[in-house]
Amino acid sequence: MPKSPVPDRSQTPARAGVPAVPAPVSASVPAPASTDVGDVISGAAASCPPVSSSLSGDAEPVIEVRDLTKRYGSHTIHEHLDLTVGQSEIIALVGGSGSGKTTLIRQIIGLESPTNGHISVFGHDITSIDRRTSHLLRRRSGMLFQRGALFSAMTVFDNIAQPLRELHTLSEDLIRDVVMYKLEMVGLSGRMANRMPSELSGGMIKRVGIARAIALEPELLFLDEPTAGLDPQASDEFVDMIRGLHHSLGLTVVMVTHDLDTVMMLATRVAVLAERKVLVNAPVEDVVRVDHPFIHSFFLGERGRRALLALPAARRARISELLDDGK
């Protein structure tokens, strides 16, 4: 879906309960003034110390998981799992079905509690913080669920506006400006604002989900199977959008995916979940050198080798002998 400027919305009929969206002065929507939105959001998270923008080895990680164990009754999902995510990285979590990729994400964002172990986000151990600090931390991250998870009874506008309204500090005029700007950021026309989720394609639903996830200008973005169900062209365009948002917003991204093409195009590092833990967390050209059955089947099968050929030449040269072995 190509990105386009927000068109004239003067002819867009308003649905009941949705603020009327006036026609803009120009064809595109300007970014809301940072003195309005940015100050409000940063003020709401003032109790959470920022992470250094440095990527040096002594920089504090955005996410640090240590000795994590997760059980459901007698069934163990994770056992002594460790994972570190640095600022501005794009980490792809891959693993076989049932390896606990989504379960790990749910624990990091606080939707589930670990059985044992520690999870630190922005320097705070989320297994021991108070409710207020936990709420403030959540405002610094956004989440795209696998099927978008839009509220079916709400318009696109209200879905994106929901986290902004929960702040209870923004005027409806400012919320309208932010919503329209976020729609433009994800390549959707302003005319989408008054549509219901049932009127959207799968790709549009994911884009609206991203717009909602970045509504509060988060530093950390979680993606659960972001390109699942998209055709190849829509998938490539969605990946381009995520890459652009990562660059323009300075995001740290953690994504669960089975899509090898998405991994090759986006991930700075790949964390492989196997045997109830993170087996390796490294650039893909280092991951493929690890001698493990899942890594062999996932990355070095016919489909995996094709995807590896999409790596930049310098990175591809590091694994040329592995690719040549498959010929």
Side-chain angles (χ1 to χ4, degrees), residues 1-302:
M1 182 181 306
K3 296 184 180 181
S4 60
V6 178
D8 186 346
R9 297 183 296 276
S10 58
Q11 302 304 315
T12 305
R15 293 182 187 266
V18 181
V21 182
V25 175
S26 62
S28 61
V29 178
S34 60
T35 53
D36 294 320
V37 180
D39 289 351
V40 170
I41 295 172
S42 60
S47 300
C48 304
V51 177
S52 168
S53 60
S54 171
L55 287 174
S56 62
D58 59 354
E60 186 176 15
V62 174
I63 299 170
E64 194 166 18
V65 180
R66 290 290 173 262
D67 200 28
L68 183 76
T69 296
K70 178 65 178 178
R71 297 190 184 94
Y72 296 108
S74 60
H75 183 48
T76 300
I77 306 296
H78 303 132
E79 190 169 33
H80 306 302
L81 181 151
D82 295 320
L83 175 68
T84 300
V85 179
Q87 186 163 7
S88 298
E89 288 193 298
I90 302 180
I91 300 294
L93 297 180
V94 303
S97 297
S99 60
K101 302 179 294 296
T102 299
T103 300
L104 177 58
I105 294 290
R106 290 177 63 85
Q107 291 173 90
I108 294 172
I109 64 179
L111 293 180
E112 294 189 29
S113 298
T115 305
N116 291 298
H118 298 276
I119 302 172
S120 175
V121 180
F122 296 120
H124 291 261
D125 188 340
I126 66 170
T127 60
S128 60
I129 58 176
D130 58 46
R131 180 176 298 181
R132 178 177 181 275
T133 304
S134 176
H135 183 65
L136 293 174
L137 281 174
R138 288 183 186 180
R139 290 181 179 174
R140 296 176 67 181
S141 64
M143 174 81 189
L144 173 69
F145 294 92
Q146 187 170 154
R147 284 174 286 276
L150 301 183
F151 296 107
S152 60
M154 289 184 179
T155 63
V156 165
F157 183 99
D158 285 330
N159 266 281
I160 302 171
Q162 184 67 22
L164 296 163
R165 287 173 173 152
E166 288 178 353
L167 292 176
H168 302 297
T169 54
L170 304 181
S171 69
E172 280 299 314
D173 284 345
L174 184 54
I175 288 174
R176 182 179 61 229
D177 288 345
V178 174
V179 170
M180 302 311 292
Y181 182 57
K182 298 304 177 183
L183 278 173
E184 184 180 25
M185 289 181 73
V186 300
L188 289 178
S189 162
R191 291 176 180 161
M192 297 291 109
N194 293 301
R195 291 194 182 182
M196 303 299 291
S198 60
E199 299 174 308
L200 304 178
S201 68
M204 289 179 179
I205 287 174
K206 288 179 183 288
R207 286 176 182 261
V208 174
I210 288 289
R212 183 177 63 185
I214 63 172
L216 295 180
E217 301 182 3
E219 302 156 68
L220 179 59
L221 181 63
F222 295 94
L223 308 173
D224 191 1
E225 298 288 0
T227 56
L230 300 182
D231 63 56
Q233 180 179 346
S235 178
D236 288 349
E237 291 170 352
F238 195 85
V239 165
D240 286 341
M241 180 193 69
I242 296 297
R243 185 188 290 114
L245 292 174
H246 169 255
H247 177 74
S248 62
L249 301 179
L251 294 168
T252 300
V253 180
V254 180
M255 64 176 177
V256 172
T257 184
H258 287 93
D259 187 349
L260 281 159
D261 294 327
T262 299
V263 171
M264 302 306 165
M265 288 190 287
L266 276 181
T268 56
R269 283 196 292 151
V270 178
V272 179
L273 273 68
E275 301 175 9
R276 301 174 180 173
K277 62 188 66 178
V278 174
L279 191 68
V280 59
N281 180 16
V284 68
E285 57 267 34
D286 295 326
V287 168
V288 297
R289 294 182 176 278
V290 176
D291 187 11
H292 189 273
F294 174 78
I295 291 175
H296 281 235
S297 62
F298 189 75
F299 290 102
L300 297 177
E302 182 179 352

